[in-house]
Amino acid sequence: MSACLFCKIAAGTIPSKIVYEDEDVLAFHDINPIAPVHFLIIPKRHIDSLAHATADDEALLGKLLALAPRLAAEQGLKNGFKTAINTGRGGGQEVFHLHIHVFGHPG
Ligand code: 5GP
Ligand code: ZN
């Protein structure tokens, strides 16, 4: 069993408020939101950070990013949204399982 928090969330061992799920991806609400809508999109497969992604991950990265506008709209962010991928300690990353923050105010 992985010690990684987001691997546990992806496996359902730790509960989360799920926004979207398929075989490759999980999206769930951030436990400490910085905006009225704030969710995270993660690959189910563990990748430490964007800096650890390889050429083999290109399709998966594209899938994660392409989901952002669709899920943002479904969550009410009709007028736009912000995204962030914190990478490494210097980039403010606290959970070392790649994730895209999507956040904003419902329009
Ligand atoms: P980072 O700083 O690594 O980019 O962001 C990690 C994010 O994960 C933070 O916004 C934090 O609130 C969120 N987070 C940390 N632990 C949990 C948890 O157990 N559940 C959920 N849903 N979010 C979490
Ligand atoms: Zn992980």
Side-chain angles (χ1 to χ4, degrees):
M1 180 47 151
S2 169
C4 169
L5 175 62
F6 284 0
C7 279
K8 288 179 179 166
I9 287 178
T13 316
I14 291 177
S16 66
K17 286 171 59 184
I18 293 175
V19 168
Y20 171 85
E21 181 169 21
D22 68 24
E23 65 273 25
D24 303 315
V25 176
L26 184 71
F28 55 97
H29 291 282
D30 197 292
I31 205 166
N32 188 20
I34 60 167
V37 174
H38 182 183
F39 61 90
L40 306 173
I41 306 175
I42 69 168
K44 287 189 171 176
R45 178 162 61 76
H46 183 90
I47 301 171
D48 275 359
S49 82
L50 192 58
H52 294 79
T54 70
D56 288 343
D57 300 317
E58 282 179 3
L60 180 59
L61 292 175
K63 182 172 181 177
L64 296 170
L65 211 50
L67 272 168
R70 180 182 140 195
L71 300 182
E74 287 177 8
Q75 294 301 312
L77 303 177
K78 309 285 188 201
N79 293 326
F81 56 89
K82 298 191 182 196
T83 51
I85 306 175
N86 298 330
T87 302
R89 299 247 173 250
Q93 187 175 4
E94 293 181 352
V95 177
F96 282 78
H97 179 129
L98 175 64
H99 52 281
I100 303 174
H101 294 260
V102 180
F103 53 102
H105 292 73

